[in-house]
Amino acid sequence: MLTLRYNPATLRFECCEDNVIYPLTSGTKFNLYCDDEDIVVAGRIEHHNVNGYYFIDTQGYVTYLYSGMLGTLD
């Protein structure tokens, strides 16, 4: 499972696993782990100029990203 973190130097979110960093950009396929329901939701990372980075699932639901979220790259 990858952990999201915001990098203020690049103004982007990154995934971290075992000291390997994967930068996320618009269109990156990502599977977001929802810990309250213990499920993984498929979708992609997108960016809005005002609101920043967010996750959009295959049904169109939007979740804004924050450091500490878990998931996997597709």
Side-chain angles (χ1 to χ4, degrees):
M1 196 69 60
L2 301 170
T3 302
L4 292 181
R5 74 172 182 196
Y6 182 72
N7 184 339
T10 62
L11 303 176
R12 293 182 179 214
F13 276 88
E14 303 169 337
C15 291
C16 307
E17 181 180 48
D18 299 330
N19 295 326
V20 178
I21 297 173
Y22 305 96
L24 300 176
T25 58
S26 290
T28 301
K29 291 184 179 181
F30 191 76
N31 300 309
L32 184 65
Y33 174 68
C34 302
D35 58 352
D36 58 337
E37 297 178 22
D38 197 29
I39 61 171
V40 176
V41 179
R44 67 184 188 279
I45 303 296
E46 293 295 339
H47 183 267
H48 184 272
N49 289 337
V50 176
N51 297 324
Y53 284 91
Y54 61 93
F55 171 82
I56 185 166
D57 72 8
T58 55
Q59 296 179 349
Y61 292 103
V62 171
T63 302
Y64 285 93
L65 302 180
Y66 57 87
S67 291
M69 295 177 99
L70 298 175
T72 61
L73 291 172
D74 194 13

